[in-house]
Amino acid sequence: MDILFDTGLGFTAALFLGRRAENLRASELGSAGRQKGTSMSDYGTETERYTSLKGTRSTENIRPCRAIRVAVSGIPRGYHFTRKDGNWLQEKHKEQILTISSAIELMEIPACGLGDVEGIEVLLAEGGNRIHYPGELDWADYQRFFTPSLRWVQLCSTGFSDNVTPQILDGSVTLTNAPGLHTIPIAESVMAAMLHHAKNLRLRRMDQKRHEWNQLKNDELSGRTVLIIGLGRIGKKVAQLCRAFGMKVIGSKHTVEPVENVDMVFPVHELTEYLPGADYVIVAVPHTPETENLLGEKEFRAMKRSSYLINIGRGKTIEEQVMTKALREEWIAGAYLDAFVEEPLAQDHPLWDLEDVLIVPHDSHSSPYIGDRMVDIFCDNLKRYVGGRPLQNICDPQKGY
């Protein structure tokens, strides 16, 4: 019997738009939307065990009865091994993608040289933001991929507020992100920021430049209290590392529930009750209507003068003018800032000149392992797509995550 389904598309429609869903192979697929023109017979049911050329990995190779054109465009932020042609996949990455199914046709399209994008069904993309960086797709080129053939976009990032198009909203294209891609390097950057502050490394560098032998009064992380706003993947990893340093860890979460390595979890509306006891305040939430300007004058006034702010989330979660005033007038001790309302930060912005502020150009996630992790995330979903199973990490434009 022919069962109509769509790989990825129906799942978004069912989740976001409340379209009529049918119970398709419930034990395997769950609910999926009904989509015209695509049937189980288009993909076939034959599966086989596939062994890679090196003989070190075995995967289930599901072979559809039609070609699936997969395009990769835009270089992941923080990636170290870009190629001269403007692309980034290594040979091992290509092999990993192509071994999923013999029906996959893989294309690499540099962000700076888009040509014909007709017929592309799956897009692995970096960029598509209204403010973009070299090597990424800009907003206009990102939109060009949204032809009638496009069914699924996999982003090389977690945030996606700029990547939502009408096709994603109406369910004709599924958008997935990559939570966990930057978790380790960002969490390590948070620890580096706290140590930089506690051990007076800025002053050490200044003394060295002046050839001065000054002994300083440093602090310890052990026994200090860190407050993490947002206990998602990054927040939980930061909590794990902080616990290893002997810190007391508290944090806010949308759903209040126990979190490993966190001593106390509280709702975000109680933030001002806990800020006075925090030595370090970590902002690790996405930008959503609920989190915009989450930290304003009331919150900065609640912090103690010795507290240190670290923002590795989004710039719009903080009222930037209020934060600048708080830093200039020493309401707090300093800040490590990786995200800003407008990026790149304007050259005449007053934050550049504040001594106790460390400006980071939104690259705390930089790592030599980003490419490998991104391909692993993509391939896991690509296997699901080819096999007609629900995709993971589907983005909800209404929630913002």
Side-chain angles (χ1 to χ4, degrees), residues 17 37 44 48 84 104 114 124 133 193 214 217 234 246-247 263 275 279 282 294 309-310 325 327 337 372 400:
L17 303 177
E48 66 176 9
K84 292 181 179 180
I104 292 174
L114 256 63
L124 172 58
Y133 293 86
N214 293 321
K217 295 179 179 179
I234 293 174
M247 303 182 76
D263 298 292
L275 283 171
D279 298 294
I282 317 297
L294 185 61
L309 174 69
I310 299 173
K325 180 179 180 181
L327 288 163
L337 304 175
D372 293 345

Side-chain angles (χ1 to χ4, degrees), residues 203-214:
L203 296 179
R204 296 290 193 198
R205 177 63 66 179
M206 292 173 61
D207 287 345
Q208 181 175 337
K209 188 175 182 179
R210 295 191 295 260
H211 298 191
E212 293 182 1
W213 187 273
N214 293 321

Side-chain angles (χ1 to χ4, degrees), residues 63-130:
R63 299 185 295 179
C65 299
R66 63 177 180 81
I68 300 176
R69 297 189 73 189
V70 176
V72 180
S73 189
I75 299 169
R77 290 187 187 181
Y79 186 68
H80 292 188
F81 310 110
T82 56
R83 305 198 322 248
K84 292 181 179 180
D85 63 359
N87 295 306
W88 64 274
L89 291 180
Q90 299 177 34
E91 290 303 317
K92 63 178 180 179
H93 298 150
K94 298 177 188 177
E95 178 186 341
Q96 189 174 347
I97 294 170
L98 291 171
T99 55
I100 290 173
S101 171
S102 58
I104 292 174
E105 296 180 0
L106 181 61
M107 307 169 57
E108 292 186 87
I109 304 175
C112 59
L114 256 63
D116 182 15
V117 296
E118 294 292 334
I120 292 171
E121 183 174 341
V122 177
L123 173 65
L124 172 58
E126 174 63 287
N129 302 301
R130 289 169 177 81

Side-chain angles (χ1 to χ4, degrees), residues 52 92 128 154 185 192 206 230 261 268 279 290 300 348 352 391 397:
S52 69
K92 63 178 180 179
Q154 169 69 61
M206 292 173 61
N261 298 308
V268 71
D279 298 294
E290 293 180 347
F300 279 103
D348 61 351
W352 285 110
L391 299 180

Side-chain angles (χ1 to χ4, degrees), residues 368-385:
Y369 304 112
I370 285 178
D372 293 345
R373 291 187 182 124
M374 187 62 247
V375 173
D376 286 343
I377 292 171
F378 177 58
C379 284
D380 179 68
N381 252 351
L382 187 57
K383 291 174 189 175
R384 293 170 176 271
Y385 183 87

